[in-house]
Amino acid sequence: MTTRNVQAMPKPATTPPLAIAPPSLEDVPRDMKATYDLDPVKAVRGQGFIKMLHKYIADDLRSRLTTTALRDGVEVKEEVKLFGSHKPKDADVAVIHPDNGVLLSVGVRSQMTSVGNNVLEYYQGIIGECISLQDRFPMAVYGYAYLHPLLSKKWGTVQGRKVLRDEHPDHARYALMYNAITGRDGTLYKDIRGVYDQFAYLVVDFQNTPLPTIRDDLVQTSVPLGQRDLRVSTFVDRLVDTFRQRNIWLDYFE
């Protein structure tokens, strides 16, 4: 019996996929503005607009995970359903351990139209989300990022048809409201409900040229940095710091 040497065909050369850089904080309002200008109604009602902020926060959290966390199967997930105390809750971003559940949860919301009409209803809603998850996971870290435009739009009626008009939200008042539900700390933090560990309140001037800007100065007129830090630029840092203070024996975040 004879054998033949069969030469394996060379595999075609493949081009490795290009790495996609995570969005920077400057990218987020710029891309949100482009999406909004393309179709304001679709941007407000759809998910593409706010997902840019989701991705920024999620990618920043992923970049902080240590090799120990990755080895233990810890993941940063987006749009994940969590079991609250009474019903499932949709978390926009969550850090989850495969055996021990939720370690950190973040809610993200934008409100571009009719801010004055709806802000109190949404305020109640985000407090309720917090309570439900804290009942089930009292040791987890909870954060919320809320975006308002500097100049928003409000639906009105002109000659029998609906139109969007300019609206000037009361950012100073809203900053005080979000400050009031922030700061779950101290040795008894596990018994506190309806208060977030960290909050980010973004007031974005989408009309600024050449690029939209985040107006932290407007927030700090009501809630100065010495009282509370509500900046999105420090949001993930603050979440990570809170987690590390509560879990000094876990090496999961850099």
Side-chain angles (χ1 to χ4, degrees):
M1 182 175 181
T2 59
T3 59
R4 290 182 301 168
N5 292 327
V6 180
Q7 186 175 2
M9 294 294 291
K11 293 182 179 180
T14 58
T15 302
L18 295 176
I20 300 175
S24 68
L25 187 53
E26 291 74 23
D27 293 333
V28 173
R30 180 198 65 199
D31 292 346
M32 292 179 86
K33 173 178 170 56
T35 301
Y36 185 82
D37 289 345
L38 190 63
D39 189 336
V41 175
K42 183 178 179 181
V44 170
R45 294 178 178 174
Q47 290 295 313
F49 182 75
I50 194 60
K51 276 185 179 178
M52 299 171 190
L53 186 54
H54 290 193
K55 182 170 176 55
Y56 167 75
I57 294 171
D59 284 348
D60 201 354
L61 283 168
R62 287 189 187 101
S63 71
R64 311 297 178 90
L65 291 178
T66 63
T67 54
T68 301
L70 297 174
R71 182 198 64 202
D72 289 352
V74 175
E75 292 184 86
V76 177
K77 296 186 176 183
E78 298 174 60
E79 296 185 44
V80 59
K81 192 175 294 294
L82 305 178
F83 293 154
S85 56
H86 303 294
K87 64 178 182 178
K89 296 288 183 180
D90 294 324
D92 296 308
V93 181
V95 181
I96 300 179
H97 187 283
D99 298 320
N100 297 288
V102 180
L103 304 178
L104 188 153
S105 175
V106 179
V108 185
R109 178 185 288 276
S110 64
Q111 201 179 342
M112 296 294 291
T113 61
S114 302
V115 173
N117 290 349
N118 298 313
V119 71
L120 289 179
E121 179 182 350
Y122 291 152
Y123 187 69
Q124 291 178 326
I126 65 175
I127 293 173
E129 290 177 25
C130 191
I131 293 172
S132 178
L133 290 175
Q134 286 170 345
D135 280 345
R136 189 170 178 87
F137 305 101
M139 292 185 65
V141 176
Y142 295 92
Y144 210 96
Y146 210 124
L147 183 150
H148 281 157
L150 179 64
L151 179 67
S152 66
K153 298 293 183 179
K154 183 176 182 179
W155 288 105
T157 303
V158 176
Q159 296 180 349
R161 63 189 184 91
K162 280 191 171 184
V163 296
L164 284 172
R165 295 175 170 176
D166 288 344
E167 177 190 29
H168 297 270
D170 190 351
H171 302 108
R173 176 192 174 204
Y174 303 149
L176 289 173
M177 288 169 53
Y178 303 136
N179 177 60
I181 56 170
T182 308
R184 191 177 69 126
D185 49 25
T187 57
L188 299 179
Y189 76 90
K190 292 190 291 293
D191 298 325
I192 298 174
R193 300 289 184 271
V195 175
Y196 285 86
D197 296 296
Q198 302 294 343
F199 208 102
Y201 180 38
L202 301 77
V203 177
V204 181
D205 182 359
F206 287 104
Q207 309 305 317
N208 187 68
T209 56
L211 295 173
T213 57
I214 298 174
R215 295 292 306 273
D216 288 329
D217 58 304
L218 296 178
V219 176
Q220 290 166 17
T221 57
S222 295
V223 185
L225 280 178
Q227 178 181 343
R228 182 93 62 201
D229 187 354
L230 297 178
R231 295 174 296 173
V232 70
S233 59
T234 63
F235 183 51
V236 171
D237 288 334
R238 291 184 277 117
L239 289 170
V240 168
D241 285 345
T242 301
F243 180 88
R244 295 177 69 181
Q245 289 168 14
R246 290 184 184 166
N247 302 275
I248 56 176
W249 50 280
L250 281 177
D251 180 25
Y252 279 175
F253 286 104
E254 295 179 349

